Amino acid sequence: MSVFIFVVYLVMLVAIGYVTFRKTKSYDDFTLGGRSNNKWISALSTESTDMSSWLLLGLPGMAFTSGYGSIWLLIGLLFGTFFNWAVVAGKLRRITEYYHSITLMEFFENRLGDKSGVLATIAGLVIVVFMTVNSSAEVIGSGKLMTAAFGVSYRSGMYIGIAIALVYTFLGGFLAISWSNLVQGTLMIIALVLVPAAALSRVGGGSGLATSLLSQDKNLLSLFSGVTGFWPIVALITGGLGVGICYPGQPHVITTYMGMKDPKEVKASTVIAMIWVGVTCYGAVIIGMMGRSMFPTIEDPEQTFLLLAKALFSVKMIGFFAAAVMSALLSSLSAYLLTAAASFASGTYRRIAKVTDDRKLVVVQRVAIVVISAIAMLLSLQGGLVYKVALFATAGLGACFAPLVLFSLYSSRVNTKGAIWSMVVGMATVLLWWNLGLSKYVYEAVPGLIASTITLLVVSKLTGGPDKSVKETFLDFVSKDTHRKSLHMGGEARVNQ
Amino acid sequence: MSIGTATFFFFLPFFLSLIAAVAFFYSKDEEGGR
């Protein structure tokens, strides 16, 4: 029965892949679902894409160790998500339509008027590397999950995860990811409400939990996890809040905003997304603390969710909870694959092969999805290195892209040279900070973002700012966006093509 | 800090973020025009 539920879930994903394959006719359809997502799909697809298997494995594990000290990370996640919806989502949706851009690469090029292709090539390369490594970390997660839930061999578990993600992403592209994420996001939130609720009633509610945690370690109920000293507290706070400032730079997340059907639905999606994120993140943290209370001697705190589910529910339900973890994993994995493939096709390949027919780019993307899946699978066999790189992926992407995205949306002062150097300097700062071991003082994203922002503004200024036509086109967008007299703007803005 | 106070602050971001989202939902577009 348990395996049956899990198999039904996997078959459903493939079915969604097939149905969306039939609806996917063009480059716009495959890459951005023809901008057809309603508010529910947009909200749940964005958030389940953002939250990888980390939500059900890593976050409870962190709460298991640090208790109430997870508050800083929760603040970072919640307010980072809110900021992204309120400041980036609507504007990015509207401006990418104005600039006739289907991918972030096309947007950067068209918005900044880069005809050299250097900007898109570098940005595409960064995205492909990080998305492939992130994919690989999820493939490893799939192996661990299948072993823990069904006793399947580790390697078979990895093959199953990557194969399912590959099939539906290959078939239906963005639409397949969006539709499947609606279902997967729903599974995730149900699981993250059921397990903490059942656990709370088992330990005698909140007071029972508090008593149990206090008896183990009083620091578990301290907002600073008992950490003392200036720098350790700064590291704890910036490590949590810093995740939030990286949000505008996560390409797989912000791409989902571009697929919204109606930009006016951004506000409703924001409410749905915030409820989803709040409930799931607090659910995951409560699970971690429950795990600490019920199984204080767990060897691997990341297994808390599955252990609790097994202890609290009948064996038949394990398939459901395993499907919830798999949902967290596949919703991100599939988006990593498509974002990497789309960035490669529209950023790098289009330039090198001088592609003029967009239909060819769909073929290129599908081939790229297969190749990237294969590389991710091979990388995941290496294990250790993947986790090291995946650890600073959020900070690296944030430092590379967050200032660029924000200033492209709101400022007419930036130009291509500033953009290129800000990516390079942002990435270099994060790598250097991390390698020098300075992260124990301040989370690497903070210096990365500061360096990247300063570079973007200073280099843009020193190199004479944007060309006149680039600036005029942007100001035309701002003026039309401000008055929004018609829903469909644009026309002359495709600077490059 | 007492456990009650810590618990209050621990759950505060959850409610604040929901309030922020609802406030955003009802906010007027400063641009006008619709």
Coordinates of all heavy atoms in Angstrom, one line a residue, chain A residues 58-115:
Chain A
G58 N 16.9 19.3 5.8 CA 17.9 20.2 6.4 C 17.3 21.1 7.5 O 17.9 21.3 8.6
L59 N 16.1 21.7 7.2 CA 15.6 22.7 8.2 C 15.2 22.0 9.5 O 15.5 22.5 10.6 CB 14.4 23.5 7.6 CG 13.8 24.6 8.3 CD1 14.8 25.6 8.8 CD2 12.7 25.3 7.5
P60 N 14.4 20.9 9.5 CA 14.2 20.2 10.8 C 15.5 19.8 11.5 O 15.6 19.9 12.7 CB 13.4 18.9 10.3 CG 12.8 19.3 9.0 CD 13.8 20.2 8.4
G61 N 16.5 19.4 10.7 CA 17.8 19.0 11.2 C 18.4 20.2 12.0 O 19.0 20.1 13.1
M62 N 18.3 21.4 11.4 CA 18.8 22.6 12.0 C 18.1 23.0 13.3 O 18.7 23.3 14.3 CB 18.7 23.8 11.0 CG 19.5 25.0 11.3 SD 19.5 26.1 9.9 CE 20.5 25.3 8.7
A63 N 16.8 22.8 13.2 CA 15.9 23.1 14.4 C 16.2 22.1 15.5 O 16.2 22.4 16.7 CB 14.5 23.2 14.1
F64 N 16.5 20.9 15.1 CA 16.9 19.8 16.1 C 18.1 20.3 16.9 O 18.1 20.1 18.1 CB 17.2 18.6 15.3 CG 17.5 17.4 16.1 CD1 16.6 16.4 16.4 CD2 18.8 17.2 16.6 CE1 16.9 15.3 17.2 CE2 19.1 16.1 17.4 CZ 18.1 15.1 17.7
T65 N 19.0 20.9 16.2 CA 20.3 21.3 16.9 C 20.1 22.6 17.6 O 20.6 22.8 18.7 CB 21.4 21.4 15.9 OG1 21.3 20.4 14.9 CG2 22.8 21.4 16.5
S66 N 19.4 23.6 16.9 CA 19.5 25.0 17.5 C 18.2 25.5 18.1 O 18.2 26.6 18.7 CB 20.0 26.0 16.4 OG 19.1 25.9 15.3
G67 N 17.1 24.7 18.0 CA 15.8 25.1 18.7 C 15.3 26.5 18.3 O 15.3 26.8 17.1
Y68 N 15.0 27.3 19.2 CA 14.5 28.7 18.9 C 15.5 29.5 18.2 O 15.1 30.6 17.6 CB 14.1 29.4 20.2 CG 12.7 29.0 20.7 CD1 12.0 28.0 20.2 CD2 12.1 29.8 21.8 CE1 10.7 27.7 20.6 CE2 10.8 29.5 22.2 CZ 10.1 28.4 21.7 OH 8.9 28.1 22.1
G69 N 16.8 29.2 18.2 CA 17.8 29.9 17.5 C 17.5 29.9 16.0 O 18.1 30.7 15.2
S70 N 16.6 29.0 15.5 CA 16.3 29.0 14.1 C 15.5 30.3 13.7 O 15.2 30.5 12.5 CB 15.5 27.8 13.6 OG 15.3 26.9 14.7
I71 N 15.1 31.1 14.6 CA 14.3 32.3 14.3 C 14.9 33.2 13.3 O 14.2 33.7 12.4 CB 13.9 33.1 15.6 CG1 13.0 34.2 15.3 CG2 15.2 33.6 16.3 CD1 12.5 35.0 16.5
W72 N 16.2 33.3 13.3 CA 16.9 34.2 12.4 C 16.8 33.8 11.0 O 16.5 34.5 10.0 CB 18.4 34.4 12.8 CG 18.4 34.8 14.2 CD1 18.8 34.1 15.3 CD2 18.0 36.1 14.8 NE1 18.6 34.7 16.4 CE2 18.2 36.0 16.2 CE3 17.5 37.3 14.2 CZ2 17.9 37.1 17.0 CZ3 17.2 38.3 15.1 CH2 17.4 38.2 16.4
L73 N 16.9 32.4 10.8 CA 16.7 31.9 9.5 C 15.2 32.0 9.0 O 14.9 32.3 7.9 CB 17.1 30.4 9.5 CG 17.1 29.7 8.2 CD1 18.0 30.4 7.2 CD2 17.6 28.3 8.3
L74 N 14.3 31.8 10.0 CA 12.9 31.9 9.6 C 12.6 33.4 9.2 O 11.9 33.6 8.2 CB 12.0 31.6 10.8 CG 11.9 30.1 11.2 CD1 11.3 29.9 12.6 CD2 11.2 29.3 10.1
I75 N 13.2 34.3 9.9 CA 13.0 35.7 9.5 C 13.5 36.0 8.1 O 12.9 36.6 7.2 CB 13.6 36.7 10.5 CG1 13.0 36.6 11.9 CG2 13.5 38.2 10.0 CD1 13.7 37.4 12.9
G76 N 14.7 35.4 7.9 CA 15.4 35.6 6.5 C 14.5 35.0 5.4 O 14.2 35.6 4.4
L77 N 14.0 33.8 5.7 CA 13.1 33.1 4.7 C 11.8 33.9 4.4 O 11.4 34.1 3.3 CB 12.8 31.7 5.1 CG 14.0 30.7 5.2 CD1 13.5 29.4 5.9 CD2 14.5 30.4 3.8
L78 N 11.2 34.2 5.5 CA 9.8 34.9 5.4 C 9.9 36.3 4.7 O 9.2 36.6 3.8 CB 9.2 35.0 6.8 CG 8.7 33.7 7.4 CD1 8.4 33.9 8.9 CD2 7.5 33.2 6.6
F79 N 10.8 37.1 5.2 CA 10.9 38.4 4.7 C 11.6 38.5 3.4 O 11.3 39.4 2.6 CB 11.4 39.4 5.8 CG 10.4 39.6 6.9 CD1 10.4 38.8 8.0 CD2 9.3 40.5 6.7 CE1 9.4 39.0 9.0 CE2 8.3 40.6 7.7 CZ 8.4 39.9 8.8
G80 N 12.5 37.5 3.1 CA 13.1 37.4 1.8 C 12.1 37.1 0.8 O 12.0 37.7 -0.3
T81 N 11.2 36.2 1.1 CA 10.1 35.8 0.2 C 9.2 36.9 0.0 O 8.8 37.2 -1.2 CB 9.3 34.6 0.8 OG1 10.2 33.5 1.2 CG2 8.3 34.1 -0.1
F82 N 8.8 37.6 1.1 CA 7.9 38.8 0.9 C 8.5 39.9 0.1 O 7.8 40.4 -0.9 CB 7.5 39.3 2.3 CG 6.6 40.5 2.2 CD1 5.3 40.4 1.7 CD2 7.1 41.8 2.5 CE1 4.5 41.5 1.6 CE2 6.3 42.9 2.4 CZ 5.0 42.7 1.9
F83 N 9.7 40.2 0.3 CA 10.4 41.2 -0.4 C 10.4 40.9 -1.9 O 10.2 41.7 -2.8 CB 11.9 41.4 0.1 CG 12.7 42.4 -0.7 CD1 12.6 43.7 -0.4 CD2 13.5 42.0 -1.7 CE1 13.4 44.7 -1.1 CE2 14.3 43.0 -2.4 CZ 14.2 44.3 -2.1
N84 N 10.7 39.6 -2.2 CA 10.8 39.2 -3.6 C 9.4 39.3 -4.3 O 9.4 39.8 -5.5 CB 11.2 37.7 -3.6 CG 12.4 37.5 -4.5 OD1 13.1 38.4 -4.9 ND2 12.7 36.2 -4.9
W85 N 8.4 39.0 -3.6 CA 7.0 39.1 -4.2 C 6.6 40.5 -4.4 O 6.1 41.0 -5.4 CB 6.0 38.3 -3.4 CG 5.9 36.9 -3.7 CD1 6.4 35.9 -3.0 CD2 5.2 36.3 -4.8 NE1 6.2 34.7 -3.6 CE2 5.4 34.9 -4.7 CE3 4.5 36.8 -5.9 CZ2 4.9 34.0 -5.7 CZ3 4.0 35.9 -6.9 CH2 4.2 34.5 -6.7
A86 N 6.9 41.3 -3.3 CA 6.4 42.7 -3.3 C 7.3 43.6 -4.2 O 6.7 44.5 -4.9 CB 6.5 43.3 -1.9
V87 N 8.5 43.3 -4.4 CA 9.4 44.3 -5.1 C 9.8 43.7 -6.5 O 10.0 44.5 -7.4 CB 10.7 44.6 -4.2 CG1 11.7 45.4 -5.0 CG2 10.3 45.3 -2.9
V88 N 10.0 42.4 -6.5 CA 10.6 41.9 -7.8 C 9.5 41.3 -8.7 O 9.4 41.6 -9.9 CB 11.6 40.8 -7.5 CG1 12.1 40.2 -8.8 CG2 12.8 41.3 -6.7
A89 N 8.5 40.5 -8.1 CA 7.6 39.7 -9.0 C 6.8 40.5 -10.0 O 7.0 40.3 -11.2 CB 6.6 39.0 -8.0
G90 N 6.0 41.5 -9.6 CA 5.2 42.2 -10.6 C 6.0 43.0 -11.6 O 5.7 42.9 -12.8
K91 N 7.0 43.7 -11.1 CA 7.8 44.5 -12.0 C 8.6 43.6 -13.0 O 8.6 43.9 -14.2 CB 8.9 45.3 -11.1 CG 9.5 46.4 -11.8 CD 8.7 47.6 -11.8 CE 9.5 48.9 -11.8 NZ 8.6 50.0 -11.8
L92 N 9.1 42.5 -12.6 CA 9.9 41.6 -13.5 C 8.9 41.0 -14.5 O 9.2 40.9 -15.7 CB 10.5 40.5 -12.7 CG 11.4 39.6 -13.5 CD1 12.6 40.3 -14.0 CD2 11.9 38.4 -12.7
R93 N 7.7 40.7 -14.0 CA 6.7 40.1 -15.0 C 6.4 41.1 -16.1 O 6.3 40.8 -17.3 CB 5.4 39.7 -14.2 CG 4.2 39.5 -15.0 CD 4.3 38.3 -15.9 NE 3.1 38.1 -16.7 CZ 2.9 38.8 -17.8 NH1 3.7 39.8 -18.2 NH2 1.8 38.6 -18.5
R94 N 6.2 42.4 -15.7 CA 5.8 43.4 -16.7 C 6.9 43.8 -17.6 O 6.8 44.0 -18.8 CB 5.2 44.6 -15.9 CG 4.0 44.3 -15.1 CD 3.3 45.6 -14.7 NE 4.1 46.4 -13.8 CZ 4.2 46.3 -12.5 NH1 3.5 45.4 -11.8 NH2 5.0 47.1 -11.8
I95 N 8.1 44.0 -17.0 CA 9.2 44.5 -17.7 C 9.7 43.4 -18.8 O 10.2 43.8 -19.9 CB 10.4 45.0 -16.8 CG1 11.3 45.9 -17.6 CG2 11.2 43.8 -16.3 CD1 12.4 46.6 -16.7
T96 N 9.6 42.2 -18.4 CA 10.1 41.1 -19.3 C 9.1 41.0 -20.5 O 9.5 40.7 -21.6 CB 10.3 39.8 -18.7 OG1 9.1 39.4 -17.9 CG2 11.5 39.7 -17.7
E97 N 7.9 41.4 -20.3 CA 6.9 41.4 -21.4 C 7.2 42.6 -22.3 O 7.3 42.4 -23.5 CB 5.5 41.4 -20.9 CG 4.5 41.3 -22.1 CD 3.0 41.3 -21.6 OE1 2.8 41.4 -20.4 OE2 2.2 41.3 -22.5
Y98 N 7.5 43.7 -21.7 CA 7.8 44.9 -22.5 C 9.1 44.7 -23.3 O 9.1 45.1 -24.5 CB 8.1 46.1 -21.5 CG 8.5 47.3 -22.1 CD1 7.6 48.2 -22.7 CD2 9.9 47.7 -22.2 CE1 8.0 49.4 -23.3 CE2 10.3 48.8 -22.8 CZ 9.3 49.7 -23.4 OH 9.7 50.9 -24.0
Y99 N 10.1 44.0 -22.7 CA 11.4 43.8 -23.4 C 11.3 42.5 -24.3 O 12.4 42.0 -24.7 CB 12.5 43.7 -22.5 CG 13.0 45.1 -22.1 CD1 12.6 45.7 -20.9 CD2 14.0 45.8 -22.8 CE1 13.0 47.0 -20.5 CE2 14.4 47.1 -22.5 CZ 14.0 47.7 -21.3 OH 14.4 48.9 -21.0
H100 N 10.2 41.9 -24.4 CA 10.0 40.6 -25.2 C 11.0 39.6 -24.7 O 11.7 39.0 -25.6 CB 10.1 40.9 -26.7 CG 9.0 41.8 -27.2 ND1 7.7 41.5 -27.3 CD2 9.1 43.1 -27.5 CE1 7.0 42.5 -27.7 NE2 7.8 43.5 -27.9
S101 N 11.2 39.4 -23.4 CA 12.2 38.5 -23.0 C 11.6 37.3 -22.3 O 10.7 37.5 -21.4 CB 13.2 39.2 -22.0 OG 13.7 40.4 -22.6
I102 N 12.0 36.1 -22.7 CA 11.4 34.9 -22.2 C 12.3 34.3 -21.1 O 11.8 33.6 -20.2 CB 11.2 33.9 -23.3 CG1 10.2 34.4 -24.3 CG2 10.8 32.5 -22.8 CD1 8.8 34.6 -23.8
T103 N 13.6 34.6 -21.1 CA 14.5 34.1 -20.1 C 15.2 35.3 -19.5 O 15.2 36.4 -20.0 CB 15.5 33.2 -20.6 OG1 16.4 33.9 -21.5 CG2 14.9 32.0 -21.4
L104 N 15.8 35.1 -18.3 CA 16.6 36.2 -17.7 C 17.7 36.6 -18.5 O 18.1 37.8 -18.5 CB 17.1 35.7 -16.3 CG 16.1 35.7 -15.1 CD1 16.8 35.1 -13.9 CD2 15.6 37.1 -14.8
M105 N 18.3 35.7 -19.3 CA 19.5 36.0 -20.1 C 19.0 37.1 -21.2 O 19.7 38.1 -21.4 CB 20.0 34.8 -20.9 CG 20.5 33.7 -20.1 SD 21.8 34.1 -18.9 CE 20.8 34.3 -17.5
E106 N 17.9 36.8 -21.8 CA 17.4 37.7 -22.8 C 17.0 39.0 -22.2 O 17.2 40.1 -22.8 CB 16.1 37.1 -23.5 CG 16.4 35.9 -24.3 CD 15.1 35.2 -24.8 OE1 14.0 35.8 -24.7 OE2 15.2 34.1 -25.3
F107 N 16.5 39.0 -20.9 CA 16.1 40.2 -20.3 C 17.4 41.1 -20.0 O 17.4 42.3 -20.3 CB 15.4 39.9 -19.0 CG 15.2 41.2 -18.1 CD1 14.5 42.3 -18.6 CD2 15.8 41.2 -16.8 CE1 14.4 43.4 -17.8 CE2 15.6 42.4 -16.0 CZ 14.9 43.5 -16.5
F108 N 18.4 40.5 -19.5 CA 19.6 41.2 -19.2 C 20.2 41.9 -20.5 O 20.5 43.0 -20.5 CB 20.7 40.4 -18.5 CG 20.4 39.9 -17.1 CD1 20.8 38.6 -16.7 CD2 19.7 40.7 -16.3 CE1 20.5 38.2 -15.4 CE2 19.4 40.3 -15.0 CZ 19.8 39.0 -14.5
E109 N 20.2 41.1 -21.5 CA 20.7 41.6 -22.8 C 19.9 42.7 -23.3 O 20.4 43.8 -23.7 CB 20.8 40.4 -23.8 CG 22.0 39.5 -23.7 CD 22.2 38.7 -25.0 OE1 21.2 38.5 -25.7 OE2 23.3 38.4 -25.3
N110 N 18.6 42.5 -23.4 CA 17.7 43.5 -24.0 C 17.6 44.8 -23.1 O 17.7 45.9 -23.6 CB 16.3 42.9 -24.2 CG 16.3 41.8 -25.2 OD1 17.2 41.7 -26.0 ND2 15.2 41.0 -25.1
R111 N 17.6 44.6 -21.8 CA 17.5 45.7 -20.9 C 18.7 46.6 -21.0 O 18.6 47.8 -21.0 CB 17.2 45.2 -19.5 CG 17.4 46.1 -18.4 CD 16.4 47.2 -18.3 NE 16.6 48.1 -17.2 CZ 17.5 49.1 -17.3 NH1 18.2 49.3 -18.4 NH2 17.8 49.9 -16.2
L112 N 19.9 45.9 -21.0 CA 21.1 46.7 -20.9 C 21.7 46.9 -22.3 O 22.8 47.6 -22.4 CB 22.2 46.0 -20.0 CG 21.7 45.8 -18.5 CD1 22.7 45.0 -17.8 CD2 21.6 47.2 -17.9
G113 N 21.1 46.4 -23.3 CA 21.5 46.7 -24.7 C 22.9 46.1 -25.0 O 23.7 46.7 -25.7
D114 N 23.1 44.9 -24.5 CA 24.4 44.2 -24.8 C 24.4 43.5 -26.1 O 23.6 42.5 -26.3 CB 24.8 43.2 -23.6 CG 26.1 42.5 -23.9 OD1 27.0 43.2 -24.5 OD2 26.2 41.4 -23.6
K115 N 25.2 43.9 -27.0 CA 25.2 43.3 -28.3 C 26.4 42.3 -28.4 O 26.5 41.6 -29.4 CB 25.3 44.3 -29.4 CG 24.1 45.2 -29.5 CD 24.1 46.2 -30.7 CE 22.8 47.0 -30.8 NZ 22.6 47.9 -29.7

